[in-house]
Amino acid sequence: MKTMKTIGILRARDIFLLLVLISLALSCGSDDNGMDCPDPTNADCDQVGDDPRDDGPVVLEPTLSSVAPVTGPKHTEVVITGENFGTDAAKVSVSFNGTPGEVLGVTDTEVTVKVPARAYTGPITMEVDGFDLTGPEFVYELTYTVETFVGGGEEGYEEGTGTEARFNRPHDLVKDSKGNIFVGDITNQAIRKIDPDGEVTTFAGGVFGSGEGEFRFLRGLAMDSDDNIYVADSGNNRIVKITPNGDWTLIAGSSLGHGYVNGPGAGARFSNPSAILLEEDGDNALYVSDTNNHAIRRISLDDGQYTVGTYAGPGPEITELGYKDGGLSEARFHFPSGIAKSGDGTILLADLANNRIRSIDQNEESVGTFAGGDFGHQDGDLASAKFSNPSGISVAGDGNIYITDTDNSCIRQIDFEGHVTTIAGVPESEGHNDGPGAEAQFNHPRGVLHTGEGEIYVADTGNHTIRKIIID
């Protein structure tokens, strides 16, 4: 009897445990009571560790495992692999150095995205349904595209918009605070104005002569913060200032003839001045490439007399050309041309007939060779690079230097690491062709202007046009 009673108790306990297990299984399968479910494949059931009050679908944390490629130009298609990306493209975003790319496709393990223009080098970042991921650095390769901005490719003198306008050997360019570009139109004896819409008009000159309002083969231009233009009126051997209202002031030199004389502005003499650098911060002076005197002259703007002196190169008693580095008075140049200033305060000079870019250290008061040497065309480091009569120079805010390599009919760049590259034009090949930089053609370009907006403007002298290089 005792044995029968024990069996009955065990059976009752077993039945009770069985009922509890069945109840637990039923409640987990339906997830009605909010308990965790041991079946991870059931999307309608909360996973282990979930809030028991949350009956929504599970969101698994995404991971990023690889990116390819990690270098390329704009519009490169990049594939990002990983896990748990989902399939909803609206919940996925990818940026390159902070610039959003275009998501082309999404699967749970792969995202394809197009690199945006002007992203530049920087990290790849990704957001997937609220989760932030960081990938490797993407090395952005710049592209250079050349187009004709204004001018019809034939010499002439016509106002108009875009290719309707006509120039005759445009030489130098500057830009004012309103976005207007001014061009020294050398053979038309005029300064032409190009508004932001590409409308070309005549701002000053247009008459061959030596009086006020008349030019004779003007070449270099510079602009101050008040939009006054300083002009190297080369054929008249003088420097003049023109206000935005068109008022003229003689700064230095004389149309009576060329020479080499220092002193107060009106009594000073130049010989075919070709380019001007304006220094407003601290120095308040003009530096002039006095081309046929093979010297750099300085004009004070704050003494009331515009006093002219020799800054670098031979003085009036010597007047010799050549090539020599050293102290300011010891240095020698050969037809110095375009002049600009780098971000570190160094004056850079296109020493045309020496086929070099020279540097002037104002603190050390010395002249050195920055790049170039033998005549020719060669990219590479500063010492091995070769130029052929470089004439124009412009320094961008990021430290890149742009040069019109005139007799190579191409545009060169020197980056902040000292690499010289050809960004547009076919070396030693003249022509007029728009398109990618490596396919574009120029005809002995002279002036170059980087505007700080991802654009470079070029006075394509032999083609009588103003070209635009778009950097992106």
Side-chain angles (χ1 to χ4, degrees):
M1 294 296 293
K2 185 176 180 179
T3 300
M4 293 296 293
K5 184 176 180 179
T6 301
I7 293 173
I9 293 171
L10 290 173
R11 287 178 177 174
R13 183 181 298 167
D14 291 341
I15 293 170
F16 174 76
L17 291 174
L18 180 60
L19 291 173
V20 170
L21 290 173
I22 292 172
S23 176
L24 287 172
L26 290 174
S27 63
C28 182
S30 64
D31 202 28
D32 287 340
N33 62 358
M35 295 182 65
D36 291 331
C37 177
D39 181 6
T41 64
N42 186 352
D44 294 327
C45 179
D46 290 335
Q47 299 297 304
V48 175
D50 283 355
D51 187 340
R53 294 166 296 178
D54 180 10
D55 294 330
V58 175
V59 178
L60 298 176
E61 184 170 350
T63 60
L64 187 157
S65 59
S66 68
V67 177
V70 290
T71 183
K74 65 177 181 179
H75 302 159
T76 297
E77 291 190 8
V78 172
V79 177
I80 301 172
T81 59
E83 294 181 346
N84 303 321
F85 293 149
T87 58
D88 187 351
K91 294 182 178 181
V92 177
S93 64
V94 181
S95 293
F96 296 80
N97 195 31
T99 303
E102 180 186 353
V103 176
L104 302 176
V106 175
T107 70
D108 198 51
T109 59
E110 189 174 281
V111 173
T112 303
V113 59
K114 182 187 292 186
V115 176
R118 301 182 185 180
Y120 309 117
T121 297
I124 297 173
T125 55
M126 187 176 184
E127 183 178 333
V128 180
D129 200 16
F131 291 94
D132 293 325
L133 304 172
T134 300
E137 180 179 78
F138 186 85
V139 179
Y140 186 88
E141 297 175 354
L142 291 172
T143 61
Y144 302 88
T145 305
V146 179
E147 62 182 43
T148 299
F149 182 49
V150 291
E154 299 176 353
E155 66 180 55
Y157 190 4
E158 294 182 21
E159 319 283 60
T161 302
T163 56
E164 298 173 355
R166 294 291 182 271
F167 298 83
N168 197 339
R169 299 186 67 240
H171 197 280
D172 199 10
L173 314 96
V174 291
K175 187 177 183 180
D176 71 7
S177 61
K178 300 178 179 62
N180 300 301
I181 294 175
F182 295 82
V183 179
D185 194 4
I186 185 170
T187 308
N188 281 325
Q189 325 298 337
I191 297 176
R192 313 292 292 280
K193 175 183 175 182
I194 310 170
D195 72 14
D197 295 325
E199 178 73 22
V200 179
T201 56
T202 296
F203 172 72
V207 178
F208 181 89
S210 58
E212 184 172 300
E214 300 173 341
F215 293 117
R216 183 177 292 178
F217 305 123
L218 75 158
R219 294 174 69 182
L221 303 177
M223 180 166 284
D224 66 19
S225 57
D226 294 321
D227 291 342
N228 298 305
I229 299 177
Y230 296 84
V231 185
D233 188 9
S234 188
N236 281 317
N237 300 294
R238 64 185 181 181
I239 309 299
V240 299
K241 171 184 170 182
I242 307 175
T243 70
N245 295 327
D247 297 326
W248 286 51
T249 300
L250 174 65
I251 299 295
S254 172
S255 60
L256 298 177
H258 65 86
Y260 195 161
V261 178
N262 289 324
R269 294 293 180 268
F270 297 86
S271 184
N272 294 110
S274 65
I276 305 173
L277 167 65
L278 171 64
E279 282 275 78
E280 288 186 281
D281 298 332
D283 195 16
N284 199 26
L286 297 175
Y287 292 86
V288 180
S289 290
D290 193 6
T291 301
N292 286 8
N293 281 325
H294 312 288
I296 307 303
R297 314 284 290 280
R298 180 185 181 277
I299 307 173
S300 172
L301 296 178
D302 58 8
D303 64 359
Q305 294 184 322
Y306 303 122
T307 302
V308 179
T310 299
Y311 182 68
E317 67 282 359
I318 302 176
T319 314
E320 66 176 2
L321 57 82
Y323 168 63
K324 184 180 180 181
D325 290 335
L328 295 178
S329 61
E330 300 169 350
R332 294 294 179 266
F333 306 96
H334 194 175
F335 297 136
S337 187
I339 185 169
K341 194 168 187 177
S342 69
D344 65 4
T346 301
I347 293 176
L348 298 173
L349 178 72
D351 194 2
L352 186 143
N354 278 321
N355 303 299
R356 291 170 168 89
I357 306 302
R358 309 289 292 280
S359 61
I360 303 177
D361 187 320
Q362 293 181 287
N363 294 324
E364 297 294 329
E365 297 186 339
S366 63
V367 177
T369 297
F370 184 69
D374 294 336
F375 176 89
H377 178 276
Q378 182 172 304
D379 289 336
D381 59 32
L382 297 175
S384 62
K386 295 180 182 179
F387 300 87
S388 181
N389 290 343
S391 62
I393 186 166
S394 179
V395 179
D398 60 5
N400 287 321
I401 301 162
Y402 298 95
I403 298 160
T404 47
D405 193 5
T406 299
D407 282 0
N408 277 319
S409 290
C410 59
I411 310 302
R412 313 288 290 279
Q413 174 190 271
I414 305 177
D415 68 22
F416 57 88
E417 295 180 336
H419 303 131
V420 181
T421 55
T422 300
I423 64 168
V426 180
E428 303 175 357
S429 175
E430 304 168 9
H432 187 289
N433 185 50
D434 290 339
E439 301 173 10
Q441 287 183 299
F442 298 85
N443 188 352
H444 293 84
R446 290 279 180 176
V448 60
L449 174 66
H450 184 280
T451 64
E453 300 167 353
E455 296 173 342
I456 302 170
Y457 292 88
V458 178
D460 191 4
T461 306
N463 282 321
H464 313 288
T465 59
I466 306 302
R467 312 286 289 282
K468 180 165 70 173
I469 304 174
I470 301 170
I471 308 173
D472 56 21

